[in-house]
Amino acid sequence: MKTFLAAALLCLSFALPVTARADEDAFSGLTTTQFNVIATSVSQIAQEGGPRALPVLRALSDHKLFAAKEGDGLFIQTDSGWQDARTGAAATPDPEMVRPVRLNNHVRQAVAAAEAQLQLIAGTPAERQAAATLLYQRHDPAMLPAIDAALGKTDDASLKTMLQDARAATLLTPGAPPSDEQTQRQAVATLYAAGGLDARGVLTQATTSEALAPATRKDAQDAVASIDRSLRLWGFGQDAFYGLSLGSVLLLAAMGLAITFGVMGVINMAHGELMMIGAYTTWLTQRAVMSVAPSLGSFSLILAVPAAFLVCGALGILIERGLIRFLYGRPLETLLATWGLSLILQQVIRSLFGPTNVAVITPSWLSGSFHLGGLEITLNRLAIMIFAIAVMGGLMLVLRRTSLGLEMRAVTQNRRMAALMGIHTARVDALTFGLGSGIAGLAGVAVSQIDNVSPNLGQNYIIDSFLVVVFGGVGNLWGTLAAAMTLGVGGKALEPIVGAVSGKILILVLVILYIQRHPRGMFPLRGRGVES
Amino acid sequence: MRSDRMAECLGTPADASVSGYLRINDRCTFVINYASLRMGIFAPTMMLVKSIQLRTGVMTMSPRFSRRDFAKFSLAASTAMLTGLKGASAATPKGEPIRIGVLHSLSGTMAISETTLKDAILMMVELQNRKGGVLGRPLEAVVVDPASNWPLFAEKARQLLAVDKVASVFGCWTSVSRKSVLPVFEELNGILFYPVQYEGQECSRNVFYTGAAPNQQAIPAVDYLLSADGGGAKRFALVGTDYVYPRTTNQILQNYLKGKGIADADIMVNYTPFGQSDWQTIVSQLKSFGSGGKKTAVVSTINGDANVPFYKELAAQGISATDIPVMAFSVGEEELAGMDTKPLVGQLAAWNYFESIDTPANKAFIKEWHDYTKNPKRTTNDPMEASYIGFNLWVQAVEKVGSTDHDKVIDAMVGLKQANLTGGTAQVLPNHHITKPVYIGEIQDDGQFNVVWQTPKEVPGMAWSPYVAETKNLIGDWTKPISCGNYDTVKKACLGAKHG
């Protein structure tokens, strides 16, 4: 019995310091494998502050934090080796005996909040602003003291506004310390003034929150209704943006076809595959640039534009010389031959690069979005719109202002007359087809930023492209532009009302009805040339 | 269901409109309408193209034994010979080879996913032959190419069963291809191992479903989202591609969520056409749905091809997994290979297998796979594991009864056990489904999944969903005395139809 007691005591005496240590040290929680313990520990680290808090949290979110497999050692992997997470001193753990500290969304949330909390005090102005925004979005009642502290310290007007919004949002969140009706209504007013989806979320929650006074809830209800009204108004603008951006994609896809089909009259079923090859060229360019000069990687897209144009243009000339020139005036044969060609091109790409998607990276200058009033403008879409307009402008210039463009128009309007005037029509045919194909390549570059890059890419666009060209009026670039934008805006206007599937059907029905009445499309070519 | 569970009916919409498959399963009338509308202008020419293509067999090449396969087999044979010379224990299989059929599309839209499964089966055949074959006889794989063409699936299945007399068939991916071969397998009493997660509501005596039923993927995934670990979501957006798998799954999930006290107003359902590439409106709808003051989660049954633009749009509009997590049922390692996953970190997927799960069996399998494909970057995925389980169960059953007789093998299958690659055991249940562990993985920036949650033990697959009114009393039990695929436990009667 005595020995048992002694043993028990001995155990206790060992156990005590260990438990005491775990209580003292917020970092110990990080060495467990339970996500909720890690998350609690992260919040605790942020509460305590301390010089090691931020480096450890950063290491955690960068997957650079490692825990010893035994004991509660915690290490940060650096470029040059290891350091002890608690002290920052160099350390030499056995790499076999450490494991990375894992994260899940719960932990990631805690880390983001903790980092924001720390940066609110110690960060650069930009970091503080970002931190305040995050606290506003999260509106976690536990952060209220941190927000108050930061409010007391800052003089920066915009930071102060953001912090006040964050404070208001936090006060209205369930679990916040009780506040008087005056403060609550003030908070509702602040959020109402802030507007936007985040404010709407908090206010919606507030309308049913038991912790708030009835008058506050009523205020919140009015505010939600009012925010909804303004969101709905902005929504029209947003839908218009979505529509124009969809229209730009359609325009890019259809413009090449407007040349080959519209101007030359070649039904080119391999048009989509040329786009696909343009997208693969983008991918290859990106890989090449990454391996030669990784620092220029984010600009590889700019390099891909001429590359795709040249590759697809050359391929187009090859197709014209090797296949299509034997089939002029025989639309059905052309259709079958180019259809076969499209299958061949798909299979070639599949054999060369595999059937799976390849990852084209979106450079950082094209990622994300910015706000314009209540509109959210995504950068990649905006870039595609600008790109589409630029390509359209360039194409117009080529057709209107260059001798090639003149010859093209001459040949397509009256081949024999043009030949009699000394124009080398075969050469012009090849170049025209090359131009159309090159533009398909450019479309491929743009599409690689928003869609799959796989051998099937082209099939998703070929029908839409024909639709745009036919709807707009064959042979008329302005018609193509108008048709693309009509289809884009129309589609996006219908989508929120009737859903994506029915929206598409409805658009197609409308287009078919329109073409029934106006077989030559929106902007038909007129004149004697057309009749022949 | 995953990538490319593809056009349940038709392939991608563009493909659908271009190819315009004429014969169609009755569930797919909606899609064909849409496709034919789309075809409006070009329909006649397209159909001409399609018929010519079918007649000339542009897309259908079905050598029973391609040169590459032959090379592999001679390689296998020579390795076997070498080991034999060295006096290794594995006996060289002798005698008449046992044929097994591989019914996966090697061309067309589904090739992207199904080719992998064909390779996986061929690898396992090679390994099995190295181990001494089955019943001392070598295995021979008969590979046919149904070319992502659903009617052709039935034709090729008939060929495998009637002409090649295969002992079993490993194949199909999309539900519509499975539905198309089902009558053939039942008529000729074949055995099909179906390796892909599916919508359930089916239980055929001639099929072994080694992929997940809804209760082995969708329900646990939603449970996770509801739990504190998963963020305690109170509002759900069910977003899917418009075909039978998402519609059935979402119907089950809606009923399930309502049972969990989620109000109608907190459930949003949205369907998009195949190959949807413009997600701007839907993502912004999700965003405003997420501003309802409650934690919101998205459950995605979006078809593989449309996933890349969907995730790209999420990233562009700045929705991260910590704001609104997206739980996907059709996004695996192979889909991620085509994506820059940095903006997707933390997004979720529910599967019964992840390549990243660190077990000796999984490591060995991945190594075999890399060696076999001579590509150290080739990913493994869930349906591959399901193929692996199915193949090994069949080998066990044949060894057990000492014959490849279909009836004997089918009866011997029930109750057999096979170790999973990720730990745990798959056991064949009387309803021809198997037990499976369920994992929830979070996407990492290296394109792999990190398992954040798993079911405490294997979940037995249920053929019929208890959350659908018409099927809540049904069970499948192919053992005596019930021997019925749709047995009504209340009426105590077999509903009679051979399958669902």
Side-chain angles (χ1 to χ4, degrees):
Chain A
M1 191 65 202
K2 241 182 192 166
T3 45
F4 172 74
L5 265 181
L9 266 177
L10 202 67
C11 283
L12 263 180
S13 63
F14 276 118
L16 268 176
V18 174
T19 36
R21 170 124 196 256
D23 283 344
E24 272 167 18
D25 186 352
F27 293 101
S28 299
L30 298 180
T31 61
T32 64
T33 50
Q34 287 151 288
F35 291 122
N36 54 353
V37 179
I38 297 176
T40 320
S41 167
V42 164
S43 314
Q44 211 181 338
I45 291 170
Q47 291 293 343
E48 288 176 10
R52 295 301 301 160
L54 210 48
V56 170
L57 293 179
R58 290 243 168 91
L60 178 60
S61 51
D62 293 345
H63 302 279
K64 295 274 162 81
L65 190 67
F66 289 74
K69 284 184 180 159
E70 280 161 30
D72 66 348
L74 210 54
F75 307 95
I76 295 175
Q77 191 182 31
T78 60
D79 295 335
S80 52
W82 296 87
Q83 60 174 217
D84 189 290
R86 290 186 177 82
T87 61
T92 49
D94 178 1
E96 288 296 307
M97 290 305 292
V98 295
R99 52 168 183 82
V101 179
R102 295 189 311 154
L103 295 98
N104 71 353
N105 283 335
H106 188 185
V107 176
R108 255 179 231 114
Q109 250 166 5
V111 171
E115 277 187 316
Q117 201 181 343
L118 291 167
Q119 280 173 345
L120 205 51
I121 303 155
T124 62
E127 282 174 348
R128 282 199 235 174
Q129 189 72 33
T133 314
L134 190 100
L135 290 183
Y136 170 51
Q137 286 162 351
R138 294 284 150 79
H139 48 85
D140 176 1
M143 295 293 162
L144 200 56
I147 296 172
D148 280 336
L151 258 177
K153 276 187 211 158
T154 181
D155 297 320
D156 183 347
S158 81
L159 179 60
K160 211 162 189 166
T161 323
M162 189 44 90
L163 282 169
Q164 268 154 357
D165 290 350
R167 187 166 192 279
T170 313
L171 278 175
L172 294 175
T173 306
S179 48
D180 57 62
E181 197 180 311
Q182 175 79 34
T183 325
Q184 287 172 5
R185 295 185 70 170
Q186 185 82 50
V188 170
T190 312
L191 281 184
Y192 171 58
L197 286 177
D198 291 309
R200 185 185 181 275
V202 180
L203 290 169
T204 314
Q205 199 174 39
T207 55
T208 55
S209 170
E210 296 295 326
L212 300 176
T216 316
R217 276 185 262 166
K218 177 80 184 53
D219 276 8
Q221 247 160 29
D222 295 345
V224 170
S226 173
I227 290 177
D228 276 349
R229 264 197 303 279
S230 104
L231 282 178
R232 208 169 303 133
L233 281 180
W234 281 112
F236 290 121
Q238 191 73 62
D239 285 339
F241 173 76
Y242 292 155
L244 290 176
S245 111
L246 176 62
S248 316
V249 176
L250 291 176
L251 176 64
L252 273 171
M255 230 181 312
L257 203 68
I259 301 286
T260 52
F261 176 54
V263 178
M264 297 177 73
V266 174
I267 300 180
N268 180 15
M269 297 303 293
H271 179 75
E273 275 57 45
L274 288 163
M275 278 175 72
M276 182 260 289
I277 288 169
Y280 271 89
T281 312
T282 313
W283 175 66
L284 284 174
T285 316
Q286 206 165 52
R287 287 231 313 199
V289 172
M290 285 296 200
S291 61
V292 178
S295 57
L296 293 176
S298 58
F299 296 101
S300 60
L301 209 57
I302 294 172
L303 216 63
V305 171
F309 183 80
L310 292 178
V311 168
C312 293
L315 191 64
I317 292 176
L318 204 70
I319 293 171
E320 202 276 341
R321 288 287 85 188
L323 184 72
I324 291 173
R325 71 176 164 130
F326 304 110
L327 301 169
Y328 279 125
R330 289 145 71 187
L332 200 61
E333 279 95 329
T334 318
L335 184 139
L336 287 176
T338 51
W339 170 259
L341 182 71
S342 81
L343 292 177
I344 292 171
L345 288 177
Q346 274 178 43
Q347 203 56 46
V348 166
I349 293 290
R350 200 171 279 140
S351 315
L352 282 179
F353 303 112
T356 45
N357 296 328
V358 296
V360 177
I361 294 158
T362 305
S364 56
W365 51 274
L366 278 182
S367 316
S369 57
F370 65 90
H371 287 272
L372 195 73
L375 295 184
E376 177 157 33
I377 309 288
T378 42
L379 289 171
N380 56 355
R381 298 277 175 178
L382 185 67
I384 288 175
M385 282 163 82
I386 295 170
F387 185 63
I389 293 166
V391 173
M392 174 99 191
L395 189 58
M396 281 292 183
L397 277 183
V398 170
L399 287 182
R400 295 278 159 91
R401 293 270 180 270
T402 64
S403 56
L404 175 69
L406 187 69
E407 288 173 5
M408 268 181 208
R409 284 181 291 144
V411 169
T412 48
Q413 275 171 20
N414 194 327
R415 177 172 297 270
R416 288 183 60 191
M417 180 72 90
L420 288 172
M421 302 295 279
I423 294 174
H424 191 341
T425 54
R427 186 177 138 267
V428 171
D429 284 338
L431 286 179
T432 312
F433 198 83
L435 179 67
S437 307
I439 289 171
L442 294 181
V445 178
V447 161
S448 75
Q449 289 305 305
I450 50 169
D451 206 344
N452 292 298
V453 180
S454 75
N456 295 337
L457 181 145
Q459 298 181 358
N460 294 334
Y461 289 93
I462 182 74
I463 294 297
D464 282 339
S465 308
F466 271 107
L467 189 71
V468 168
V469 174
V470 173
F471 182 44
V474 174
N476 189 334
L477 266 186
W478 290 113
T480 307
L481 174 72
M485 292 305 163
T486 311
L487 290 178
V489 175
K492 285 291 153 185
L494 284 175
E495 196 177 319
I497 306 166
V498 295
V501 182
S502 327
K504 266 197 143 154
I505 294 174
L506 214 59
I507 282 283
L508 287 162
V509 170
L510 292 175
V511 168
I512 289 167
L513 289 179
Y514 186 87
I515 290 179
Q516 289 286 327
R517 278 199 73 84
H518 306 269
R520 285 171 187 276
M522 290 165 80
F523 294 91
L525 283 184
R526 293 180 209 283
R528 267 193 310 183
V530 182
E531 306 306 326
S532 60
Chain B
M1 328 222 144
R2 11 178 342 259
S3 154
D4 342 44
R5 182 151 253 259
M6 223 24 7
E8 188 67 352
C9 308
L10 303 155
T12 63
D15 178 65
S17 0
V18 174
S19 332
Y21 295 103
L22 301 178
R23 259 187 290 165
I24 207 81
N25 157 324
D26 56 354
R27 287 172 198 246
C28 302
T29 40
F30 189 61
V31 186
I32 187 77
N33 284 345
Y34 157 61
S36 35
L37 280 173
R38 246 187 116 133
M39 287 163 64
I41 311 161
F42 304 101
T45 39
M46 285 308 108
M47 285 180 186
L48 182 68
V49 170
K50 180 65 187 173
S51 64
I52 287 169
Q53 178 206 337
L54 277 178
R55 246 170 259 151
T56 54
V58 176
M59 295 180 84
T60 58
M61 39 147 208
S62 58
R64 269 232 335 253
F65 220 65
S66 74
R67 200 179 298 163
R68 202 165 135 231
D69 296 327
F70 179 73
K72 274 176 198 155
F73 274 96
S74 42
L75 196 74
S78 55
T79 356
M81 234 147 78
L82 272 178
T83 46
L85 284 177
K86 280 185 202 148
S89 58
T92 316
K94 281 190 286 281
E96 176 80 355
I98 298 176
R99 285 178 176 168
I100 60 168
V102 181
L103 184 65
H104 284 301
S105 301
L106 310 180
S107 54
T109 48
M110 291 306 302
I112 178 171
S113 314
E114 293 196 61
T115 313
T116 309
L117 295 186
K118 185 252 328 179
D119 289 340
I121 292 287
L122 290 183
M123 173 179 89
M124 285 181 274
V125 166
E126 189 184 308
L127 291 178
Q128 193 63 37
N129 283 339
R130 224 184 285 163
K131 281 192 279 186
V134 176
L135 301 176
R137 288 159 63 185
L139 285 180
E140 180 188 312
V142 182
V143 180
V144 292
D145 177 17
S148 313
N149 179 338
W150 321 133
L152 198 57
F153 263 92
E155 219 171 284
K156 293 285 174 188
R158 190 171 289 278
Q159 178 199 326
L160 284 174
L161 292 173
V163 181
D164 296 308
K165 308 267 186 227
V166 295
S168 71
V169 176
F170 298 84
C172 296
W173 185 293
T174 61
S175 287
V176 66
S177 67
R178 187 189 68 251
K179 297 267 187 213
S180 136
V181 301
L182 208 52
V184 178
F185 275 89
E186 292 185 342
E187 180 197 329
L188 301 175
N189 197 23
I191 306 177
L192 172 69
F193 285 86
Y194 177 64
V196 185
Q197 34 87 284
Y198 81 120
E199 68 281 355
Q201 312 298 70
E202 183 182 300
C203 184
S204 167
R205 178 169 179 269
N206 299 84
V207 182
F208 289 91
Y209 306 83
T210 58
N215 74 313
Q216 291 171 309
Q217 189 190 25
I219 300 282
V222 168
D223 277 339
Y224 175 75
L225 289 173
L226 287 163
S227 74
D229 264 352
K234 297 275 186 294
R235 231 167 130 81
F236 287 84
L238 312 179
V239 183
T241 302
D242 202 356
Y243 68 108
V244 58
Y245 166 67
R247 280 197 179 259
T248 316
T249 308
N250 285 346
Q251 186 196 357
I252 293 170
L253 286 183
Q254 256 173 299
N255 292 344
Y256 182 72
L257 285 171
K258 276 176 209 161
K260 290 275 173 183
I262 305 284
D264 268 340
D266 287 332
I267 302 175
M268 163 183 158
V269 185
N270 185 299
Y271 293 106
T272 41
F274 283 107
Q276 170 87 356
S277 62
D278 192 300
W279 289 93
Q280 299 179 90
T281 309
I282 288 147
V283 168
S284 82
Q285 278 174 350
L286 289 178
K287 227 170 156 175
S288 57
F289 183 72
S291 74
K294 292 176 185 163
K295 178 72 185 173
T296 305
V298 177
V299 177
S300 151
T301 38
I302 297 168
N303 162 306
D305 254 16
N307 271 303
V308 174
F310 175 63
Y311 283 112
K312 279 188 176 172
E313 190 62 38
L314 281 179
Q317 296 204 19
I319 299 182
S320 71
T322 45
D323 305 326
I324 302 178
V326 179
M327 171 74 75
F329 299 155
S330 309
V331 175
E333 286 85 353
E334 220 151 85
E335 283 71 32
L336 291 187
M339 273 190 257
D340 174 17
T341 54
K342 283 190 190 63
L344 309 183
V345 170
Q347 301 294 19
L348 304 154
W351 288 109
N352 309 98
Y353 168 91
F354 282 112
E355 186 178 358
S356 64
I357 295 177
D358 194 10
T359 60
N362 193 23
K363 266 190 186 161
F365 182 77
I366 295 170
K367 189 175 175 307
E368 290 287 358
W369 177 241
H370 288 170
D371 288 351
Y372 180 80
T373 58
K374 300 187 182 62
N375 178 357
K377 282 189 182 157
R378 194 87 183 259
T379 53
T380 56
N381 60 25
D382 182 272
M384 276 175 71
E385 195 221 17
S387 291
Y388 164 89
I389 293 170
F391 180 84
N392 283 301
L393 285 171
W394 174 77
V395 170
Q396 276 189 43
V398 172
E399 295 279 4
K400 187 175 156 193
V401 296
S403 134
T404 57
D405 181 81
H406 291 171
D407 283 324
K408 283 186 191 162
V409 170
I410 290 175
D411 290 339
M413 283 290 294
V414 176
L416 287 183
K417 287 178 181 168
Q418 166 65 36
N420 292 321
L421 290 175
T422 55
T425 314
Q427 185 178 5
V428 184
L429 303 167
N431 62 6
H432 286 191
H433 290 63
I434 63 173
T435 59
K436 287 174 104 53
V438 187
Y439 301 97
I440 307 290
E442 280 185 2
I443 297 176
Q444 303 294 295
D445 46 14
D446 61 356
Q448 284 288 337
F449 288 90
N450 177 18
V451 173
V452 291
W453 183 85
Q454 68 183 82
T455 45
K457 59 182 175 77
E458 294 87 347
V459 180
M462 289 165 87
W464 305 99
S465 174
Y467 304 106
V468 174
E470 299 86 47
T471 64
K472 68 175 192 291
N473 298 327
L474 294 187
I475 58 159
D477 187 344
W478 287 109
T479 55
K480 289 187 176 105
I482 294 178
S483 279
C484 173
N486 47 5
Y487 181 78
D488 192 317
T489 49
V490 175
K491 292 184 198 145
K492 304 260 179 245
C494 185
L495 296 192
K498 277 180 138 185
H499 53 82

